[in-house]
Amino acid sequence: MPRDRAARSPLEQTEAKALHPADGLLFFDREFNPVESLLGNPLPAAVTPAASLWEHFPELDRSEITLAAHSIGDAARPLRISLDPDKPGSHGITIYRIGELFAVVRSEERNGADLATLLHLATHDPLTGLPNRRQFSDDLAASLHEATASNEALSLMQLDLDDFKPVNDTLGHPAGDKLLQLAASRIQGCLTDDDRAYRLAGDEFMVISMGSGHPAKGHRLAEALVDAFKKPFTIDGIALFVGVSIGTSAAPLDGMSPEQLMKSSDVALYAAKKEGRGRAKPFDPSMLESLEQRELLRRSLRMALVQHQFFIEYQPIAEGGRIFGFEALLRWRHPLLGTIPPAAFIPVAEADGLMPEIGAWVLEQACREAMKWPQNYTVAVNLSAAEFLTSGLTDRVSQTLDLVGLPPERLELEITESVLLERTVNNIDTLNTLNVLGIRISLDDFGTDYSSLSYLKTFPFDTIKIDRYFITDLESDLKSQAIVRCIVNLAHDLEMRVTAEGVETPDQATWLRSVGCDRLQGYLVSRPLSVEAIGEFVTQAEKAASQP
């Protein structure tokens, strides 16, 4: 349904008033049914028909008009129809083709401005007044032709507003429309006579920059646009900070066809957003290689579990000179790319919603392997944020333990602080339920990223794992020593155990034991082991522990 007058922008209301139904202008699709948008842009309500062309003009021959209308080449060669051909000077209609739509005008009620009005609607965004996607496509092709003929370069910029959706969600679509108008004005304020801005859809804008000095000129313009969006927008007395991310490409450096330049700027925009948004990034071929690798991983991940490409290695954890247990570490052996580290594929799996299924496999496999170990050994399994936030986690963990037969006190689930960014009731309930089941809970990588002491008070942890960042230079860095000492003391005061990760030297181990660190994990104890190597390792470890 078309939006009501209150929801429309002032520009839309002005156009709607100028194009009142009495003026006889209506838009239809290829079958002459009503439409509400023109080339992806919303139409003013006044030119949106409530019924098909045949209901508006029942006297028309449907098959004849349809055949004739589809032969129209473009808006410059319209189809003129008299509604009563037997009467000289009778009223009629004119049908213009606008892209994939038809515009119908009552011929006697319009003047020579018909075509100019229709072409403006067809090539401009009614909200911001900027040229739209259709005009952009035409202009980019023409600009590339001109640049080629004159042996000059041009730059293409793809702009995407940061944090625009929250404005719509919290302040409503009228505020979002106003923000888009202000953003369009701010973009135009940075441009010269050699540049032109377009609104493609939503909060997506484009800029074509001509003239001499490209691509350096394009880079300067992109940076100027980013700086311009660092200032707040004021809407209804509210200051809003909405930045912009920009991907740039240049011709002929990054391509000489519209498709190549669009793809290059799109890839650069993706890189800008990935690096933190609020920045401009020029296209680099390495970006495309990285994106293609990510897409290859994404496609391959969907088959990896089915084709048994995942496997688990187990890194021992020592406590008091004995092996306490193992941490299960997920690995992926790709048939073409070899072994892929978790840091490369887990974010992709999380983004594609695959981690709950992969995590369930890891949990069951690790628990089954742990059943082969001495009964006092534990197994630690990492939970990703995607797994932890999936409903039914506690039931799945409990069912896995029942299926395998592993006592819950032998399972330790490791979560990172990023999982706990929101101290929601659901998060607290999940951890409390796991705790009640008797499952150990470890806070992994403590001291990095989003560290907060409130986590230790709010959530029931059994163990804190000190990140290897603080262990690497422990022998020489007094600050690392002070931090580790404080973490150990704090954890013990809260009745929690402490595991140090990344322990590689005897001196590190000696120092950690001197301050009361409970458990050590790292290459000093052992590198991660394959399933086949665990049995021999356990035999040797138990033999060493039994000797005086």
Side-chain angles (χ1 to χ4, degrees):
M1 293 294 290
R3 293 179 293 171
D4 58 27
R5 179 171 295 274
R8 284 183 271 136
S9 70
L11 178 60
E12 286 179 302
Q13 292 179 25
T14 299
E15 289 197 359
K17 184 177 181 181
L19 298 170
H20 191 272
D23 291 337
L25 171 62
L26 295 172
F27 284 90
F28 299 92
D29 66 13
R30 296 277 287 177
E31 303 303 322
F32 290 102
N33 294 316
V35 295
E36 296 180 12
S37 65
L38 178 62
L39 301 168
N41 300 294
L43 284 169
V47 298
T48 302
S52 69
L53 175 70
W54 321 116
E55 292 173 277
H56 279 277
F57 304 102
E59 65 270 34
L60 294 177
D61 184 307
R62 184 167 183 165
S63 60
E64 182 180 346
I65 297 300
T66 300
L67 180 63
H70 281 81
S71 67
I72 300 174
D74 54 40
R77 293 189 293 274
L79 174 65
R80 303 186 187 278
I81 302 167
S82 174
L83 296 180
D84 191 351
D86 295 330
K87 296 181 180 180
S90 65
H91 299 328
I93 61 172
T94 301
I95 301 178
Y96 296 89
R97 180 172 176 177
I98 307 294
E100 292 302 308
L101 303 182
F102 290 115
V104 177
V105 182
R106 289 184 182 274
S107 303
E108 80 288 354
E109 294 177 0
R110 305 294 289 180
N111 53 32
D114 282 347
L115 183 57
T117 301
L118 291 173
L119 288 177
H120 181 84
L121 282 172
T123 59
H124 287 75
D125 168 41
L127 180 65
T128 63
L130 293 178
N132 64 12
R133 183 183 296 274
R134 183 190 188 198
Q135 187 65 53
F136 165 74
S137 298
D138 292 345
D139 286 357
L140 180 58
S143 298
L144 283 171
H145 180 75
E146 180 182 339
T148 302
S150 59
N151 200 28
E152 292 186 350
L154 66 82
S155 291
L156 179 67
M157 278 152 266
Q158 185 168 342
L159 295 76
D160 197 77
L161 302 189
D162 301 327
D163 299 316
F164 172 72
K165 187 176 184 297
V167 175
N168 268 340
D169 293 344
T170 58
L171 300 180
H173 289 283
D177 286 352
K178 180 63 177 177
L179 178 59
L180 290 171
Q181 291 172 330
L182 293 174
S185 177
R186 192 166 292 187
I187 291 170
Q188 288 181 296
C190 296
L191 307 185
T192 68
D193 292 341
D194 292 328
D195 314 316
R196 193 174 186 187
Y198 306 80
R199 181 191 175 205
L200 267 57
D203 60 343
E204 182 183 357
F205 297 84
M206 302 294 298
V207 171
I208 299 174
S209 181
M210 300 285 288
S212 60
H214 290 282
K217 178 186 175 184
H219 297 166
R220 290 193 298 271
L221 175 56
E223 293 295 343
L225 287 164
V226 170
D227 289 340
F229 275 78
K230 291 179 179 179
K231 303 172 185 177
F233 294 91
T234 302
I235 298 177
D236 297 331
I238 302 173
L240 302 174
F241 288 88
V242 176
V244 65
S245 297
I246 304 176
T248 70
S249 60
L253 182 64
D254 302 320
M256 278 305 297
S257 72
E259 294 76 18
Q260 288 175 319
L261 283 187
M262 283 291 290
K263 181 177 181 179
S264 297
S265 64
D266 189 54
V267 170
L269 176 62
Y270 175 84
K273 284 186 169 292
K274 186 178 180 181
E275 289 188 13
R277 303 189 298 180
R279 64 193 67 212
K281 295 288 293 184
F283 173 75
D284 185 276
S286 63
M287 294 177 180
L288 187 57
E289 181 179 349
S290 175
L291 189 62
E292 288 173 345
Q293 288 177 348
R294 180 183 176 88
E295 283 301 300
L296 175 61
L297 287 183
R298 189 182 66 82
R299 293 192 299 269
S300 300
L301 266 172
R302 296 190 173 275
M303 297 303 297
L305 196 59
V306 176
Q307 297 180 352
H308 309 291
Q309 296 172 9
F310 291 122
F311 66 99
I312 302 174
E313 292 185 329
Y314 296 86
Q315 186 167 35
I317 304 171
E319 179 177 6
R322 299 180 63 96
I323 296 302
F324 174 77
F326 295 86
E327 179 182 357
L329 303 173
L330 176 63
R331 302 287 188 257
W332 180 16
R333 187 180 292 110
H334 191 280
L336 298 177
L337 303 178
T339 301
I340 301 174
F345 71 83
I346 286 182
V348 180
E350 287 185 325
D352 273 21
L354 299 175
M355 272 315 296
E357 184 179 0
I358 295 173
W361 177 84
V362 172
L363 178 64
E364 181 175 340
Q365 293 297 115
C367 288
R368 289 190 183 280
E369 183 61 31
M371 289 293 291
K372 305 173 186 177
W373 306 338
Q375 294 185 4
N376 60 324
Y377 279 32
T378 65
V379 60
V381 178
N382 292 277
L383 280 182
S384 71
E387 294 175 82
F388 184 82
L389 298 175
T390 302
S391 61
L393 170 67
T394 55
D395 289 339
R396 287 196 298 277
V397 173
S398 179
Q399 290 167 4
T400 300
L401 292 175
D402 290 342
L403 175 67
V404 175
L406 185 73
E409 62 272 13
R410 292 186 59 193
L411 174 63
E412 184 168 83
L413 296 177
E414 297 189 2
I415 61 174
T416 59
E417 294 166 294
S418 60
V419 175
L420 309 175
L421 282 177
E422 296 184 15
R423 299 170 183 80
T424 64
V425 174
N426 288 340
N427 284 355
I428 297 173
D429 287 347
T430 297
L431 289 177
N432 281 330
T433 301
L434 293 171
N435 186 263
V436 169
L437 290 173
I439 297 167
R440 303 169 188 261
I441 304 170
S442 174
L443 180 59
D444 198 11
D445 299 337
F446 184 76
T448 59
D449 294 333
Y450 307 99
S451 296
S452 172
L453 295 179
S454 63
Y455 296 149
L456 304 182
K457 179 180 178 180
T458 306
F459 298 111
F461 298 111
D462 297 282
T463 307
I464 294 176
K465 299 191 75 172
I466 303 176
D467 188 75
R468 66 181 66 248
Y469 172 78
F470 301 105
I471 307 301
T472 301
D473 58 359
L474 190 61
E475 302 159 77
S476 59
D477 190 277
L478 296 178
K479 292 181 180 179
S480 291
Q481 293 178 5
I483 291 171
V484 172
R485 187 183 296 110
C486 287
I487 293 174
V488 171
N489 292 335
L490 176 63
H492 288 168
D493 287 344
L494 295 173
E495 300 181 343
M496 300 176 186
R497 313 288 281 181
V498 179
T499 300
E501 296 182 292
V503 181
E504 297 184 355
T505 69
D507 288 343
Q508 290 173 344
T510 300
W511 191 93
L512 288 164
R513 292 192 186 102
S514 73
V515 298
C517 183
D518 303 290
R519 300 169 189 157
L520 306 180
Q521 181 179 354
Y523 286 179
L524 180 66
V525 179
S526 173
R527 290 177 176 271
L529 302 171
S530 66
V531 171
E532 295 77 16
I534 292 178
E536 178 64 22
F537 178 86
V538 169
T539 299
Q540 294 297 327
E542 290 298 300
K543 182 179 179 180
S546 63
Q547 294 178 351

